[in-house]
């Protein structure tokens, strides 16, 4: 009986077969697998893989070294599931890994984001919110957290993190629009502890506090972010945050519709 292999990159790199974890050795095998997974269902050029795996410490015979590393990775995957390595494709130009969305968390995340956008286009905020909630539940921490590749952390991780941030922002905005401001306050405070300079989270916290009848706390939140930005970055809050503070001071009726 065969079991499907599943790959997880939205957090530490993990491979499972059925319910069993497959141990991928730390180092180059792990980086190579991650390099294939972030571009799943595409052929990744040899030169790009060499840069991701070795960076500035490029081996003298890079193509041969990459082939050896790939052979070892195939053996590792086959120890978990005898046919797992057949997912890896080889061409003259490079290598790739074939993975449908339900085999790879990154692809499933993208699929759910598309579901959310379709719900938004048809005017279904509850459906959009549900799709975003499922998408965000896939994440287990910073992407590729245990993959030692300067190239991946420079070029791939920021893009994935930005997608996560945009999804969280939109999910929060929908929660506010659906009247869930009270339950959002704790989540926003936790987000701000992790991303203290992310002004949109601060603005959403201010709005959630205001709509919960906590105007003074909303203004204190603004004072806190302003003091931190001035002290640590030497800048003032952005225009959007300043406008929100003024609206809260004026008890603007429009705040209930933002």
């Amino acid at each position: 009986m065969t079991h499907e292999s599943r790959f997880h990159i939205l957090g530490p790199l993990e491979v499972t077969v059925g319910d069993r974890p497959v141990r991928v050795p730390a180092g180059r095998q792990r980086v190579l697998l991650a390099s294939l997974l972030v571009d799943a269902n595409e052929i990744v050029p040899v030169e790009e893989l060499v840069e991701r795996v070795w960076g500035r410490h490029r081996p003298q015979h890079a193509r041969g070294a990459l082939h050896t590393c790939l052979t070892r990775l195939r053996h590792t995957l086959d120890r978990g599931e005898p046919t797992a390595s057949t997912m890896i494709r080889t061409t003259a130009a490079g290598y790739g890994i074939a993975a449908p969305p339900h085999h790879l968390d990154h692809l499933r995340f993208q699929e759910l984001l598309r579901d959310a956008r379709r719900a938004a286009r048809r005017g279904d905020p509850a459906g959009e919110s549900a799709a975003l909630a499922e998408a965000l539940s896939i994440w287990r921490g910073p992407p590729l957290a245990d993959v030692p590749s300067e190239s991946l952390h420079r070029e791939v991780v920021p893009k994935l993190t930005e997608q996560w941030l945009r999804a969280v922002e939109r999910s929060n905005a929908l929660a506010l629009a659906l009247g869930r401001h009270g339950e959002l306050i704790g989540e926003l405070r936790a987000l701000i502890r992790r991303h203290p300079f992310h002004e949109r989270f601060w603005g959403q916290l201010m709005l959630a506090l205001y709509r919960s009848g906590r105007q003074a706390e909303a203004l204190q939140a603004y004072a806190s972010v302003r003091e931190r930005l001035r002290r640590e970055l030497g800048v003032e809050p952005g225009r959007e945050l300043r406008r929100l503070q003024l609206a809260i001071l004026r008890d603007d009726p429009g705040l209930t519709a933002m």
Side-chain angles (χ1 to χ4, degrees), residues 161-237:
T161 303
E162 186 66 21
Q163 288 182 326
W164 178 83
L165 286 169
R166 297 287 85 80
V168 173
E169 287 176 7
R170 181 59 183 162
S171 179
N172 292 344
L174 287 166
L176 287 167
L178 293 168
R180 300 203 291 262
H181 38 265
E183 64 192 64
L184 199 58
I185 292 171
E187 296 176 22
L188 283 164
R189 290 195 189 280
L191 282 168
I192 285 169
R193 283 193 292 272
R194 292 169 56 191
H195 304 276
F197 302 112
H198 198 79
E199 292 191 30
R200 288 191 178 179
F201 290 158
W202 282 100
Q204 290 174 333
L205 174 62
M206 291 166 62
L207 194 56
L209 288 166
Y210 177 82
R211 289 185 179 176
S212 298
R214 298 157 67 174
Q215 183 182 27
E217 289 181 63
L219 293 171
Q220 181 57 51
Y222 177 82
S224 295
V225 65
R226 181 171 184 260
E227 192 274 335
R228 172 168 285 190
L229 288 169
R230 293 179 70 183
R231 183 184 71 246
E232 299 189 33
L233 300 181
V235 298
E236 291 288 335

Side-chain angles (χ1 to χ4, degrees), residues 32-221:
L32 178 55
L33 178 58
S35 299
L36 295 173
L37 290 172
V38 298
D39 289 316
N41 303 312
E42 298 179 14
I43 295 299
V44 187
V46 167
E47 285 301 313
E48 188 167 345
L49 289 171
V50 169
E51 170 63 24
R52 290 176 176 179
V53 174
W54 283 278
R56 293 169 291 178
H57 307 288
R58 180 188 179 97
Q60 185 175 0
H61 303 289
R63 185 178 286 269
L66 182 62
H67 178 75
T68 299
C69 187
L70 187 79
T71 299
R72 291 172 178 165
L73 176 60
R74 287 181 186 274
H75 291 158
T76 295
L77 296 177
D78 284 343
R79 282 199 295 270
E81 165 57 49
T83 62
S85 68
T86 61
M87 300 173 72
I88 298 177
R89 296 177 292 164
T90 302
T91 72
Y95 303 101
I97 191 164
H102 65 280
H103 281 211
L104 174 55
D105 59 357
H106 162 52
L107 294 183
R108 179 59 178 154
F109 176 68
Q110 303 298 330
E111 187 176 62
L112 287 164
L113 292 185
R114 290 192 290 272
D115 289 347
R117 288 192 290 269
R118 283 192 287 267
R121 286 195 293 271
R122 66 175 180 263
D124 178 10
E128 184 185 3
S129 180
L132 287 172
E134 185 176 352
L136 292 169
S137 72
I138 294 172
W139 285 68
R140 298 167 295 112
L144 303 175
D146 58 350
V147 176
S149 169
E150 291 182 12
S151 176
L152 288 174
H153 284 274
R154 181 177 63 248
E155 298 171 8
V156 175
V157 169
K159 294 177 184 177
L160 292 173
T161 303
E162 186 66 21
Q163 288 182 326
W164 178 83
L165 286 169
R166 297 287 85 80
V168 173
E169 287 176 7
R170 181 59 183 162
S171 179
N172 292 344
L174 287 166
L176 287 167
L178 293 168
R180 300 203 291 262
H181 38 265
E183 64 192 64
L184 199 58
I185 292 171
E187 296 176 22
L188 283 164
R189 290 195 189 280
L191 282 168
I192 285 169
R193 283 193 292 272
R194 292 169 56 191
H195 304 276
F197 302 112
H198 198 79
E199 292 191 30
R200 288 191 178 179
F201 290 158
W202 282 100
Q204 290 174 333
L205 174 62
M206 291 166 62
L207 194 56
L209 288 166
Y210 177 82
R211 289 185 179 176
S212 298
R214 298 157 67 174
Q215 183 182 27
E217 289 181 63
L219 293 171
Q220 181 57 51

